[in-house]
């Protein structure tokens, strides 16, 4: 469009009245000139003006033609449609409020869930070029390899038994691959901060010197770690977080000249991180990290390819892809297996995009919730479409008048779509406000280990999604009512002065929409029922021990002061003696790992002459561990105070150990050896199976060795107390006993075992609760839809019902007639919903525990519940139809 024409159209838009006056004046001038000319040609003056007007033509048509040339007529008419739509909606505030609130409910839920999905799964990681970052881990090809030891699941790897952390000795080989521009290892640690009024336990990470450069970030102040600062002989150094600098050190500008005393050792501060920095582990960790120190594994572990202890991230070289990295690692895995058959023949390295790996354990849950919220949006849209269809039928007389006066069918459709878009826009705005409130509720309900759950917010992506859904809703679900309204026959509609009656097509549309509501609700109800049954099944799982009235805590002694195993053991034995004397204490236990607080596996042999090796989970415990945790003895004896250094080496195993490793033979008296160099020991007892990793984890073989005889597999750190009352009431007394032994030793991670058990099911509780809420809303909307359909059907059949009753029909037959109609709608909806559920619930398999996706009882219960509440909803209009007065009803005829 030329600029001059654009200026003219724009001027006409803002000066329409002035343009109309000028045009009228110009047309009057033309008419006057023509009249004068006609007079000059001999036409009488009384007839000249009329003849001139007839020759000039219709002024209104000239006005329209001129407006089309001067302005944006199509846009102006569209604006007129929207203004008219607003006026019509104001005339029916009840309809408008119900439609907007219904849409707000669906869009609000969808917006809130999408905000969570966007923050957790879609939003890029807060590092430069995040798609180039990979997570690297190692996997066991077969479980039970000789010489294998692991600290547990790797970054993003919880829930996959073959997956493990990485051997430090293998990292050099991985780093040499041409697909990677950099590779870094790190491990979560906790160190004691002393030198202040009260000792504290700080969470941090031990990292290699390349850690920050691989992530692509740099300290705000100071520098990164140097290569000579890592390793067992490296110099101490610490980089602190911005929060620690501001809150603990008061934002001291001379912070790089200070040092922190961690585990009794001074660490010079060499850097301060930016305020928004978070390590990959921090993204899924509710506890804020405070510091980073150089990774300093012992020389033995650093050179052992059988010890898998660190997490690894790497960055792709420009031009390389994940597939390139996997291909190179495949070749390397084969080479390492040939070079180191004892340790690497059972191990292979694997990689995945870091962002995908971090959320791998919550992806299925969030996708299921997003799908459920999408079904809610569909149900709300179907409800609104039903409302719009009823409204269009009620306005058939108005529509017929407009069509009779010359309005095109397209213009009528556009008018109704304009009203639908207004409702959608208002519902979108209200839905965003509701979504903001729901986001806060979801974040409060969500488990803390969901990556970046605390960063959930509405950004432009969420707003764009909400706007797109609103527009699509307005167009798609407003089109059917608009099309039906434009199909009015003026000649027929204008004959009737009675109530507006919809034709067969309108009835079919409303029936189809209601059936769709019931079917969609059935899908959600079955999904929620399966998750609820799964959760109830999970809660009924026996852990094998008694978590009630047990307080667990972490007492991690600093390596500098308690480097020897004897010193650590002596501390815990003295603490056990003091705490046991406290009133209300029934038993005291300590170990390297309590149940539900992590685990450690180790390789063992059961036959000195054979090559068969096994990998049970191993725990170093004191004799009071079993009564404290509540693990019953099944055979033999438990550990005693006599099982100490100098006495014969002994061990206790669980039932799974005997079942999987010894073909259910009696294990008592059988020898075993940890590794190949440690002393042989004798199994003296068998205890009950327990689920160390929580109710969802399978029962694994367990090996318990006396802490007084072994430091293996890790140093003692966990302490627990069983009490006769509320265990938290003893916390202060236990803390005092710890400080009486070491005034610089903090007590951290204090929680009851019951709290830990509850937290272990937090994710299932979260997804089950949300899906139950969604299913409840869906059922409520379906009930509203059925009620609306039957209410309208009764109102439309008032004359017919009155005639039936006048001819002798009993009220109960009328009641049965209406309920039969409802029954057909409900039955068809349940059948279609069941078919759809069979097709969709297979995607819930990974979220279920002890329940099959095709669980018949759940389907029957969902169908019965939906049929019951729908029938109750149908009773109200049915009873109203049965009470119709024939005299009143027949007045319409």
């Amino acid at each position: 469009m030329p600029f001059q024409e654009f200026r003219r159209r724009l001027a006409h838009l803002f000066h329409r009245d002035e343009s109309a006056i000028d045009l009228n004046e110009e047309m009057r001038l033309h008419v006057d000139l023509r009249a004068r000319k006609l007079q000059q040609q001999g036409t009488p003056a009384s007839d000249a003006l009329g003849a001139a007007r007839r020759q000039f033509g219709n002024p209104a048509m000239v006005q329209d033609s001129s407006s089309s040339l001067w302005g944006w007529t199509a846009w102006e008419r569209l604006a007129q449609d929207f203004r008219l739509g607003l006026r019509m909606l104001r005339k029916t505030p009840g309809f408008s409020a119900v439609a907007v609130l219904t849409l707000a409910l669906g869009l609000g839920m969808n917006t809130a869930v999408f905000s969570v999905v966007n923050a957790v799964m879609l939003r890029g990681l807060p590092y430069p070029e995040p798609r180039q970052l990979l997570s690297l881990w190692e996997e066991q090809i077969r479980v039970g390899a000789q010489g294998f030891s692991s600290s547990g699941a790797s970054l993003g790897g919880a829930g996959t038994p073959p997956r493990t952390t990485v051997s430090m000795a293998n990292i050099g080989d991985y780093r040499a691959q041409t697909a990677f521009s950099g590779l870094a290892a790190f491990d979560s640690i906790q160190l004691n901060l002393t030198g202040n009024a009260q000792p504290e336990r700080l969470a941090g990470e031990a990292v290699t010197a390349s850690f920050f450069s691989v992530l692509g970030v740099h300290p705000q102040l100071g520098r990164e770690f140097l290569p000579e600062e890592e390793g067992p002989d490296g110099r101490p150094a610490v980089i602190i977080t911005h929060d620690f600098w501001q809150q603990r050190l008061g934002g001291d500008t001379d912070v790089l000249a200070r040092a922190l005393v961690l585990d009794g050792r001074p660490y010079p501060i060499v850097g301060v991180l930016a305020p928004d920095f978070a390590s990959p582990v921090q993204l899924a960790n509710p506890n804020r990290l405070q510091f980073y120190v150089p990774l300093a594994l012992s020389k033995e572990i650093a050179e052992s390819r059988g010890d898998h202890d660190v997490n690894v991230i790497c960055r792709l070289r420009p031009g390389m892809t994940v597939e390139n990295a996997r291909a190179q690692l495949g070749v390397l895995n084969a080479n390492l297996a040939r070079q180191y058959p004892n340790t690497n023949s059972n191990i292979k390295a694997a990689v995945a995009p870091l962002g995908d790996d971090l959320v791998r354990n919550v992806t299925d849950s969030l996708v299921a919730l997003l799908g459920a919220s999408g079904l809610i949006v569909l149900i709300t849209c179907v409800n609104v479409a039903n409302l719009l269809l009823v409204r269009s039928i009620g306005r058939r007389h108005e529509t017929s008048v407009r069509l009779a006066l010359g309005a095109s069918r397209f213009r009528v459709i556009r008018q109704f779509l304009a009203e639908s878009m207004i409702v959608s826009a208002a519902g979108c705005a209200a839905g965003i406000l509701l979504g903001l409130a729901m986001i806060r509720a979801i974040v409060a309900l969500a488990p803390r280990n969901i990556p970046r759950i605390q960063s959930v917010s509405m950004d432009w992506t969420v707003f764009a999604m909400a706007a797109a859904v609103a527009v699509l809703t307005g167009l798609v679900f407003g089109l059917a009512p608009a099309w039906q309204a434009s199909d009015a026959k003026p000649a027929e509609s204008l004959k009737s002065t009675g109530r507006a009656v919809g034709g067969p097509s309108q009835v079919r549309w409303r029936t189809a929409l209601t059936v769709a509501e019931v079917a969609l609700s059935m899908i959600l109800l079955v999904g929620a029922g399966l998750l609820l049954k799964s959760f109830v099944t999970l809660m009924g799982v026996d852990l094998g021990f008694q978590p009630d009235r047990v307080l667990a805590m972490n007492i991690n002694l600093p390596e500098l002061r308690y480097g020897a195993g004897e010193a650590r053991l002596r501390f815990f034995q003295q603490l056990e003696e003091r705490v046991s004397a406290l009133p209300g204490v029934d038993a005291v236990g300590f170990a390297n790992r309590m149940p539900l607080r992590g685990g450690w596996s180790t390789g063992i042999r059961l036959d000195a002459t054979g090559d068969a090796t096994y990998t049970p989970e191993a725990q170093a415990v004191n004799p009071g561990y079993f009564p404290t945790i509540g693990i019953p003895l099944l055979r033999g004896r438990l550990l005693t105070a006599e099982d100490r250094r100098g006495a014969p080496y002994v061990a206790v195993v669980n039932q799974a150990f005997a079942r999987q490793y010894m073909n259910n033979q009696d294990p008592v008296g059988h020898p075993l050896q940890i590794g190949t160099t440690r002393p042989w020991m004798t199994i003296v007892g068998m205890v009950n199976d327990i689920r160390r990793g929580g109710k969802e984890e399978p029962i694994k073989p367990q090996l318990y060795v006396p802490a007084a005889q072994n430091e293996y597999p890790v140093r003692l750190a966990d302490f627990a107390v069983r009490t006769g009352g509320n265990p938290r009431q003893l916390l202060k007394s236990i803390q005092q006993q710890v400080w009486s032994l070491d005034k610089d030793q903090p007590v951290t991670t204090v929680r009851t075992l019951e709290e830990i058990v509850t937290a272990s099911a937090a994710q299932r509780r979260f997804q089950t609760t949300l899906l139950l809420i969604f299913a409840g809303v869906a059922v409520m909307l379906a009930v509203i839809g059925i009620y609306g359909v039957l209410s309208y059907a009764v109102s439309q059949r008032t004359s017919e019902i009155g005639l039936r009753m006048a001819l002798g029909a009993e009220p109960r037959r009328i009641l049965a007639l209406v309920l039969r109609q409802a029954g057909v709608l409900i039955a068809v909806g349940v059948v279609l919903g069941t078919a759809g559920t069979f097709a969709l619930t297979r995607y819930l398999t990974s979220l279920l525990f002890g329940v099959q996706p095709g669980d018949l009882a759940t389907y029957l219960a969902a169908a019965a519940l939906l049929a019951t509440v729908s029938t109750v909803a149908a009773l109200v209009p049915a009873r109203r139809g049965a009470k119709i007065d024939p005299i009143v009803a027949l007045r319409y005829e």
Side-chain angles (χ1 to χ4, degrees), residues 472-513:
L472 193 63
T473 298
L475 290 177
V476 174
F477 292 92
L479 187 60
W483 181 266
Q484 292 295 329
S486 67
D487 195 31
K489 303 296 187 293
E492 297 177 6
S493 299
L494 294 177
K495 289 179 185 177
S496 175
T497 59
R499 66 179 70 236
V501 179
S505 61
Q506 282 86 355
V507 174
R508 286 193 296 270
W509 270 104
R510 285 183 58 76
T511 301
L513 291 174

Side-chain angles (χ1 to χ4, degrees), residues 140 142-148 342 346 602-616 657 660-661 673-676 680:
Q140 299 181 68
R142 64 185 184 280
V143 178
Q146 183 177 1
F148 177 85
N342 291 337
N346 184 48
T602 183
I604 66 167
R605 293 194 302 167
L606 296 176
D607 187 351
T609 61
D611 295 329
T613 58
Y614 307 95
T615 312
F657 187 101
Q660 296 185 32
Y661 298 163
Q673 183 186 31
I674 296 176
T676 57
W680 282 85

Side-chain angles (χ1 to χ4, degrees), residues 248-325:
R248 305 294 184 90
L249 304 180
D252 183 7
T253 56
D254 198 26
V255 65
L256 299 181
R258 300 180 61 169
L260 300 180
V261 180
L262 300 173
D263 273 10
R265 186 180 186 185
Y267 282 74
I269 299 175
V270 299
V272 178
L273 295 168
D276 57 348
F277 174 77
S279 75
V281 167
Q282 180 68 77
L283 297 177
N285 190 341
N287 300 317
R288 298 296 300 173
L289 300 183
Q290 305 292 330
F291 67 90
Y292 296 82
V293 296
L295 184 64
L297 298 175
S298 68
K299 186 176 181 180
E300 179 184 3
I301 293 179
E303 295 177 354
S304 170
R305 294 181 183 268
D307 287 287
H308 303 262
D309 297 282
V310 295
N311 296 288
V312 172
I313 55 172
C314 44
R315 182 174 285 274
L316 285 173
R317 199 177 297 277
M320 289 290 181
T321 64
V322 179
E323 287 70 26
N324 296 141

Side-chain angles (χ1 to χ4, degrees), residues 190 201 550-557 568 571-573 575-576 588-599 619-622 624-625 628-629 692 707 714-721 745 747-751 753 756:
Q190 291 187 344
R201 188 74 173 168
V550 177
L551 186 67
M553 62 204 74
N554 184 268
I555 304 175
N556 208 317
L557 302 174
R568 293 195 294 272
F571 177 93
F572 278 98
Q573 286 177 336
L575 182 61
E576 176 189 12
V588 176
F590 58 84
N592 61 298
R593 289 284 194 278
M594 290 290 173
L596 305 170
R597 294 170 73 105
Q619 309 300 321
V621 303
N622 74 320
Y625 175 86
T628 301
I629 305 303
R692 284 192 53 85
V714 292
R715 61 185 186 181
L716 302 171
D718 280 4
F719 191 82
V721 177
Q745 179 60 47
V747 175
T748 60
T749 323
V750 180
R751 300 173 73 185
L753 282 187
I756 299 175

Side-chain angles (χ1 to χ4, degrees), residues 354-367:
L354 179 59
D356 297 343
D357 197 48
L358 284 173
V359 300
R360 64 187 297 272
N361 293 312
V362 299
T363 298
D364 290 344
S365 296
L366 294 182
V367 170

Side-chain angles (χ1 to χ4, degrees), residues 92-299:
T92 53
F95 161 82
S96 303
V98 171
V100 169
L101 291 177
T102 302
L103 272 180
L105 184 62
L107 291 176
M109 286 185 166
N110 187 261
T111 301
V113 173
F114 180 77
S115 297
V116 175
V117 172
N118 178 55
V120 174
M121 296 176 55
L122 304 181
R123 193 181 299 164
L125 296 177
Y127 312 115
E129 302 295 334
R131 296 305 299 176
Q132 292 182 356
L133 288 172
L134 304 181
S135 172
L136 186 149
W137 66 93
E138 290 175 335
E139 294 179 353
Q140 299 181 68
I141 298 174
R142 64 185 184 280
V143 178
Q146 183 177 1
F148 177 85
S149 174
S150 171
S151 64
S154 67
L155 175 68
T160 307
R163 177 170 172 158
T164 183
T165 40
V166 179
S167 167
M168 195 68 188
N170 291 334
I171 287 180
D173 299 290
Y174 300 147
R175 184 180 282 123
Q177 302 308 298
T178 58
F180 304 139
S181 63
L183 183 146
F186 60 99
D187 189 23
S188 298
I189 62 170
Q190 291 187 344
L191 299 177
N192 296 341
L193 174 67
T194 55
N196 297 327
Q198 183 173 308
E200 296 180 75
R201 188 74 173 168
L202 300 183
E205 282 184 341
V207 303
T208 56
S210 58
F211 179 75
F212 296 105
S213 60
V214 168
L215 289 177
V217 299
H218 305 282
Q220 178 179 313
L221 298 175
R223 62 172 175 82
E224 301 170 17
F225 294 129
L226 303 176
E228 55 266 26
E229 290 171 337
E230 67 177 73
D233 301 323
R235 300 193 308 267
V238 63
I239 295 176
I240 60 175
T241 64
H242 190 274
D243 288 346
F244 186 90
W245 177 43
Q246 293 295 321
Q247 297 173 11
R248 305 294 184 90
L249 304 180
D252 183 7
T253 56
D254 198 26
V255 65
L256 299 181
R258 300 180 61 169
L260 300 180
V261 180
L262 300 173
D263 273 10
R265 186 180 186 185
Y267 282 74
I269 299 175
V270 299
V272 178
L273 295 168
D276 57 348
F277 174 77
S279 75
V281 167
Q282 180 68 77
L283 297 177
N285 190 341
N287 300 317
R288 298 296 300 173
L289 300 183
Q290 305 292 330
F291 67 90
Y292 296 82
V293 296
L295 184 64
L297 298 175
S298 68
K299 186 176 181 180

